[in-house]
Amino acid sequence: MSRISAYESFRDRLFAGDLKPGQFVTQRELAELAGVSLGSAREAIQRLEHDSLLKVHPQRGIQVADVTLRFIREAFQLRSILELAAVPDYCEFHQDKAEVTLRDTNDVLQRAQKEASAEVLSQAVDVDWRFHDELVGAINNELVEETYQINAVRLRLIRTNIRLSAKRVFGALEEHIAILEACARGDAEAAQSKLSDHLSVAMQRAMEGI
């Protein structure tokens, strides 16, 4: 198995809840859990530590990232810096994408309000991530994109440890709709204001959920 595949396997196990925040494990335990060789495990562990998902403690073992208030605050602060900076480009050059994502978000919200099934809630999460991915992609900067993707993994770990409720989903999608409406009409100032409020609320939700 390649280094990338080993990394992705570890990450998937983390998101699945097979590894708990703050848990200590050995290299061998991680290798067995992910179904990879010790060599692949060692290489993947280096990248996971770089992404702040694991911490190697000499003579103590490997600790899964603990989702603390500081972990959440730092992840959302970085998210705000990146996404707020992307708003002007998204509003100016990607109004067509904003209109499509706005329509899809409205559709998912309407379905979720009628039937808050696990499938519909999963679709809501997908359209949520899609907007944030599109937003940062509008900058068209590889370094920014790489930083965003690393932080997105941290945010997914945070979300893994928070119970996903219909109320949370409805609130997030309604906030997205307000942001997207501003983006679709090219109003970057309004979009930034609404996005800032959205990210503040999302961080507070995450902090209350741990």
Side-chain angles (χ1 to χ4, degrees):
M1 179 177 286
S2 69
R3 177 183 176 183
I4 296 298
S5 297
Y7 169 83
E8 291 174 347
S9 182
F10 284 134
R11 189 187 59 191
D12 290 345
R13 298 282 69 75
L14 199 59
F15 293 160
D18 296 334
L19 295 166
K20 304 300 181 185
Q23 176 183 349
F24 276 89
V25 292
T26 65
Q27 284 187 357
R28 186 171 299 280
E29 287 171 337
L30 282 175
E32 290 176 354
L33 180 65
V36 300
S37 67
L38 277 174
S40 294
R42 291 189 189 99
E43 292 185 353
I45 287 166
Q46 291 177 359
R47 181 175 173 188
L48 288 161
E49 186 171 29
H50 176 264
D51 292 356
S52 300
L53 296 177
L54 295 177
K55 175 67 175 176
V56 178
H57 297 276
Q59 300 181 340
R60 291 183 63 195
I62 302 164
Q63 185 179 24
V64 177
D66 198 0
V67 180
T68 62
L69 291 177
R70 178 175 179 176
F71 186 92
I72 294 171
R73 186 182 304 110
E74 290 181 350
F76 273 93
Q77 285 175 339
L78 179 55
R79 183 180 207 178
S80 294
I81 291 169
L82 297 176
E83 295 191 15
L84 289 172
V87 169
D89 283 343
Y90 189 66
C91 288
E92 182 173 358
F93 302 112
H94 299 282
Q95 291 181 30
D96 54 341
K97 282 187 178 179
E99 290 172 355
V100 172
T101 305
L102 173 59
R103 184 189 65 232
D104 292 346
T105 303
N106 269 310
D107 289 345
V108 171
L109 178 58
Q110 290 174 10
R111 291 202 302 274
Q113 288 171 334
K114 293 177 181 177
E115 177 195 358
S117 65
E119 180 181 356
V120 175
L121 292 180
S122 177
Q123 292 173 354
V125 170
D126 288 344
V127 78
D128 181 315
W129 279 111
R130 170 178 149 193
F131 165 63
H132 292 286
D133 290 347
E134 281 184 0
L135 186 59
V136 174
I139 298 179
N140 195 28
N141 181 305
E142 291 184 2
L143 182 58
V144 169
E145 180 68 24
E146 180 182 357
T147 303
Y148 168 77
Q149 291 299 336
I150 291 172
N151 198 50
V153 175
R154 299 183 188 123
L155 292 165
R156 289 179 188 274
L157 178 60
I158 292 169
R159 179 169 284 181
T160 297
N161 292 278
I162 298 173
R163 187 174 64 84
L164 185 64
S165 68
K167 183 178 180 181
R168 287 180 185 273
V169 171
F170 295 165
L173 292 186
E174 287 168 351
E175 291 159 16
H176 274 210
I177 288 169
I179 300 164
L180 284 161
E181 286 175 342
C183 291
R185 64 175 183 267
D187 190 342
E189 184 175 350
Q192 283 180 317
S193 177
K194 293 180 185 300
L195 176 61
S196 180
D197 290 343
H198 167 63
L199 294 177
S200 294
V201 170
M203 182 174 71
Q204 188 60 39
R205 290 188 189 115
M207 289 181 167
E208 290 172 354
I210 63 172

